[in-house]
Amino acid sequence: MKVMKFGGTSVGKPERMHQVAQLITKSNEPTIVVLSALSGTTNALVGIGESMAAGNREEAKQKIDTLEAHYKQFIPDLVKTTAAQTKAQQIVGEHFEFLNIILKISFSEALSKDILAQGELLSTKLFSVYLEEQGIAHSLLPALEFMSIDIHEEPQISSIRPKLNALLEQHKDKKLFITQGYICRNARGEVDNLKRGGSDYTASLVAAAAQASVCEIWTDIDGMHNNDPRVVKKTVAIEQLSFEEAAELAYFGAKILHPTCIWPAQQEKVPVKLLNTMQPEAAGTVITQEAGSVGVKAVAAKDGIISINIKSSRMLLAYGFLRKIFEVFEKYRTPIDMITTSEVAVSVTIDSGQHLKAIVKELEPFGAIEVETDLTIISVVGNEIAQTQDILSKLFDALTPVPVRMVSYGGSKHNVSILVPSSYKTQTLQLLNTGLFGLE
Ligand code: ADP
Ligand code: ASP
Ligand code: MG
């Protein structure tokens, strides 16, 4: 079994869907295809939810109508026969009728998840109509019947696997399966999702659950690049990464991968390939156990970071102090990204301000608290970089003009991270591109 995931831009135009159909039928290996929503759809659905949450039904209605018009226009270029067009229009009609019904119901968090799920439901159903028109045998596997998260909103391979296998068993006569990325059911049985960019996570979870031979992530760029191509002009694709390196890059902001999508593939040792739908012959990036080479591979940036500094003269000599601090973050289920300590102070960073007030309140008895927002973690990732000669001197030479707030070095063999004000992000990424990679 192989898994192929196609992102929003890869299915965002009728001709792209046609191309996807070619790519998924090239090999004879049984394949599970994971699709995202058409590009722009999830953003539009978020907008519809926001208008409803704000009680602005008229605005929500306008947004629904605009999105529906987009889908209606999509169909004539996707399929040609009257039968297929009628079927596709019917699908679009049903999903937009659902959105229009929701418009009349009082808004809730659970309802917003139902709205968000429409994107992947639409893309997979429309793609299925196209495959049918082309006479390509396949089955639709409803993700809501096998993809789930537990009470901590975390997916478990052990609960996904039996449900997926049972569904595959029902379609033994088929070799091609289409399913929705991103969407799942939560512990209450409601429709939920794996957070933005979550289709990558679906793909990796499906690949792990099915013990696939490979998990291919098809997107709009030829693999993981050494730097953020949205910020820096000259970037190059990386041939090979280890799971650890890829996980660090994804977690620390390389948008090409969902932040936590590597662990399932890593756990089941399924190689991950990052490939370009627009340039299928390009080598892309291979992610396996082996790193391939030693040294710096890439830098990534993660925005929206908050630092919390706790200063106390009574602090570090007292054992148990750090535990008490960490317990506060554990209580609010808020992960810490970076940490530095000195004799009298400890600084940590978090990437969510959701419980900031409560956390600060509970930390106050331990010392003086200072909070700084609008920070960015810049991570330098590579194999054994902590042991690579000159990495720190090169890093600090490159960063002379940047007011670095924190440095994390040595915690991971694959990562050196620095914390900078977000206003310095572009400059920092550019300086590192020149200083570490010799690129303009
Ligand atoms: P998809 O819709 O296929 O999931 P995404 O937009 O989520 O695609 O991810 C691909 C995008 O990630 C690229 O177009 C690129 O702009 C961005 N990106 C950010 N950092 C990197 C990086 N280090 N390497 C490659 N792409 C990156
Ligand atoms: N459609 C979802 C999003 O835009 C999931 C994904 O594309 O990975 O976030
Ligand atoms: Mg993505």
Side-chain angles (χ1 to χ4, degrees):
M1 184 67 83
K2 112 187 214 190
V3 172
M4 298 174 84
K5 175 259 168 175
F6 293 87
T9 27
S10 303
V11 292
K13 295 203 168 117
E15 62 269 27
R16 298 256 160 83
M17 279 205 178
H18 299 165
Q19 203 188 348
V20 169
Q22 286 187 359
L23 289 169
I24 60 172
T25 46
K26 267 191 182 158
S27 96
N28 260 338
E29 194 175 352
T31 304
I32 302 177
V33 177
V34 176
L35 297 189
S36 292
L38 314 198
S39 51
T41 294
T42 309
N43 284 345
L45 294 169
V46 168
I48 291 167
E50 281 170 357
S51 301
M52 286 193 202
N56 196 339
R57 286 185 193 194
E58 214 166 288
E59 191 183 78
K61 175 69 180 145
Q62 267 170 16
K63 289 179 181 173
I64 292 172
D65 290 347
T66 307
L67 192 61
E68 183 170 7
H70 177 70
Y71 275 84
K72 286 197 159 152
Q73 272 180 358
F74 191 89
I75 292 170
D77 291 324
L78 177 70
V79 283
K80 291 289 166 232
T81 63
T82 315
Q85 288 192 356
T86 309
K87 193 165 180 187
Q89 295 290 2
Q90 212 172 340
I91 289 165
V92 168
E94 279 166 17
H95 284 273
F96 282 90
E97 192 186 325
F98 176 76
L99 286 175
N100 280 307
I101 290 171
I102 282 188
L103 197 57
K104 298 191 184 108
I105 306 173
S106 64
F107 188 79
S108 69
E109 181 72 17
L111 218 49
S112 81
K113 306 278 176 68
D114 278 316
I115 297 172
L116 292 176
Q118 301 311 305
E120 271 70 12
L121 291 169
L122 275 163
S123 65
T124 46
K125 287 188 191 176
L126 292 175
F127 185 60
S128 172
V129 173
Y130 174 66
L131 291 181
E132 207 175 275
E133 188 191 45
Q134 295 301 305
I136 300 169
H138 68 283
S139 289
L140 263 182
L141 299 181
L144 296 178
E145 286 181 24
F146 68 87
M147 191 54 66
S148 55
I149 48 176
D150 64 16
I151 47 164
H152 302 302
E153 301 196 334
E154 274 157 24
Q156 302 295 344
I157 297 170
S158 56
S159 73
I160 296 164
R161 179 174 286 148
K163 290 183 256 168
L164 176 64
N165 283 341
L167 276 176
L168 290 172
E169 194 65 22
Q170 285 173 25
H171 300 279
K172 261 188 169 160
D173 56 325
K174 298 281 174 13
K175 284 174 105 178
L176 184 62
F177 305 94
I178 315 296
T179 192
Q180 299 84 21
Y182 181 58
I183 62 173
C184 63
R185 282 200 190 274
N186 62 28
R188 293 181 297 277
E190 299 157 347
V191 172
D192 210 318
N193 61 65
L194 301 172
K195 311 268 159 65
R196 295 306 305 271
S199 297
D200 301 331
Y201 206 8
T202 303
S204 176
L205 287 161
V206 168
Q211 289 170 311
S213 60
V214 63
C215 175
E216 296 181 351
I217 310 268
W218 290 82
T219 180
D220 59 0
I221 188 165
D222 58 340
M224 179 74 79
H225 278 220
N226 73 299
N227 205 327
D228 193 329
R230 295 166 302 175
V231 180
V232 171
K233 263 198 204 130
K234 179 97 190 83
T235 60
V236 290
I238 304 163
E239 255 173 64
Q240 193 175 349
L241 288 169
S242 67
F243 286 123
E244 277 93 358
E245 291 170 329
E248 301 254 17
L249 284 168
Y251 187 73
F252 286 111
K255 194 210 166 201
I256 185 170
L257 286 175
H258 176 279
T260 56
C261 77
I262 289 296
W263 74 260
Q266 180 173 20
Q267 189 173 309
E268 296 297 324
K269 300 192 178 58
V270 181
V272 177
K273 285 188 185 169
L274 308 181
L275 296 158
N276 189 349
T277 315
M278 273 51 94
Q279 212 188 320
E281 65 296 338
T285 302
V286 180
I287 304 166
T288 56
Q289 296 278 82
E290 293 81 38
S293 60
V294 171
V296 175
K297 298 239 180 97
V299 297
K302 185 174 173 181
D303 296 321
I305 304 295
I306 301 164
S307 83
I308 304 172
N309 179 272
I310 306 130
K311 210 181 271 179
S312 160
S313 51
R314 291 166 293 141
M315 177 189 123
L316 285 177
L317 290 178
Y319 50 79
F321 187 84
L322 285 177
R323 178 177 53 76
K324 285 182 203 146
I325 287 178
F326 287 157
E327 271 171 1
V328 175
F329 291 89
E330 191 182 346
K331 179 172 168 192
Y332 291 97
R333 301 190 60 78
T334 301
I336 292 170
D337 284 332
M338 285 176 81
I339 165 158
T340 58
T341 62
S342 80
E343 186 61 16
V344 291
V346 51
S347 286
V348 299
T349 69
I350 56 175
D351 65 2
S352 158
Q354 199 188 350
H355 303 294
L356 183 62
K357 263 195 185 154
I359 288 172
V360 168
K361 195 154 186 274
E362 292 209 24
L363 288 175
E364 268 163 359
F366 300 118
I369 313 293
E370 268 174 36
V371 173
E372 191 178 351
T373 55
D374 297 323
L375 298 168
T376 294
I377 294 178
I378 311 271
S379 287
V380 181
V381 172
N383 183 25
E384 308 283 342
I385 51 168
Q387 278 98 298
T388 307
Q389 277 206 330
D390 298 342
I391 174 76
L392 285 187
S393 60
K394 271 192 184 164
L395 192 65
F396 288 116
D397 278 353
L399 296 180
T400 316
V402 181
V404 175
R405 293 284 197 272
M406 262 170 90
V407 180
S408 170
Y409 174 77
S412 152
K413 282 194 213 164
H414 314 289
N415 178 329
V416 181
S417 292
I418 57 164
L419 185 70
V420 302
S422 297
S423 53
Y424 280 85
K425 168 179 148 174
T426 303
Q427 190 186 357
T428 307
L429 288 178
Q430 190 58 61
L431 288 168
L432 293 177
N433 217 37
T434 314
L436 298 180
F437 303 99
L439 295 168
E440 280 304 296

